[in-house]
């Protein structure tokens, strides 16, 4: 954890997806004060017509990012992260302004296991690197 998933309607070259994962990892690690080694990013290319945002008029094409994270970060920190993630995705994936929404699901540390750590995670704290 964190597990960051983005679902989009276009297809991208592997190098673009790698660039996106690196940028997300760096930004998340810095803003959320967590080791970059914890971060997993998935990019789901669902194809044209697969994601829609409903509204008063016809639905419009959308993108969604789900962030499964350890609980403990403030609302303000998650908002700063959201704005930066949207900026990165709009630039690298060339998403339209207002196309991407971000949702957070927060977990206690013991709900995730990293093989490289060899144990369940600890809860997040401000003194983590």
């Amino acid at each position: 954890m964190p597990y960051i998933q983005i679902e989009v309607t276009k297809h991208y070259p592997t190098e673009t997806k790698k660039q996106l994962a690196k940028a997300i990892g760096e930004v998340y690690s810095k803003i959320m004060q967590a080791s970059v080694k914890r971060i997993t990013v998935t990019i789901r290319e669902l194809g044209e017509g697969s994601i829609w945002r409903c509204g008063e008029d016809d639905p419009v094409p959308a993108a969604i990012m789900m962030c499964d994270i350890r609980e403990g970060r403030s609302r303000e920190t998650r908002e700063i992260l959201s704005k930066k993630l949207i900026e990165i995705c709009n630039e690298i994936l060339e998403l339209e302004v207002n196309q991407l929404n971000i949702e957070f699901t927060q977990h206690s540390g013991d709900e995730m296991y990293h093989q490289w750590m060899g144990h369940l995670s600890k809860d997040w704290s401000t003194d983590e690197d």
Side-chain angles (χ1 to χ4, degrees), residues 19-86:
Q19 178 187 5
L20 179 66
K22 182 173 178 57
I24 287 173
E26 289 171 350
V27 164
Y28 187 98
S29 177
K30 180 180 177 183
I31 293 173
M32 300 294 266
Q33 299 176 321
S35 171
V36 73
K37 294 187 297 185
R38 291 181 168 271
I39 302 164
T40 301
V41 176
T42 59
I43 301 153
R44 295 189 180 125
E45 301 167 311
L46 302 179
E48 187 176 345
S50 298
I51 309 170
W52 297 96
R53 179 147 315 105
C54 297
E56 297 295 322
D57 297 318
D58 287 339
V60 296
I64 185 84
M65 180 180 281
M66 304 297 292
C67 298
D68 287 285
I69 66 171
R70 286 181 294 159
E71 59 191 7
R73 278 59 162 230
S74 70
R75 173 188 177 107
E76 292 78 17
T77 299
R78 287 180 281 125
E79 190 168 303
I80 290 167
L81 177 65
S82 296
K83 289 176 180 178
K84 189 63 179 171
L85 291 174
I86 288 171

Side-chain angles (χ1 to χ4, degrees), residues 52-117:
W52 297 96
R53 179 147 315 105
C54 297
E56 297 295 322
D57 297 318
D58 287 339
V60 296
I64 185 84
M65 180 180 281
M66 304 297 292
C67 298
D68 287 285
I69 66 171
R70 286 181 294 159
E71 59 191 7
R73 278 59 162 230
S74 70
R75 173 188 177 107
E76 292 78 17
T77 299
R78 287 180 281 125
E79 190 168 303
I80 290 167
L81 177 65
S82 296
K83 289 176 180 178
K84 189 63 179 171
L85 291 174
I86 288 171
E87 179 183 310
I88 288 168
C89 290
N90 286 356
E91 178 183 331
I92 295 174
L93 301 180
E94 299 178 353
L95 299 179
E96 300 293 326
V97 173
N98 297 324
Q99 188 174 359
L100 177 61
N101 280 6
I102 297 178
E103 296 185 15
F104 290 91
T105 303
Q106 300 184 70
H107 302 271
S108 62
D110 67 357
E111 292 181 9
M112 61 213 70
Y113 180 92
H114 286 274
Q115 184 176 1
W116 64 269
M117 290 173 59

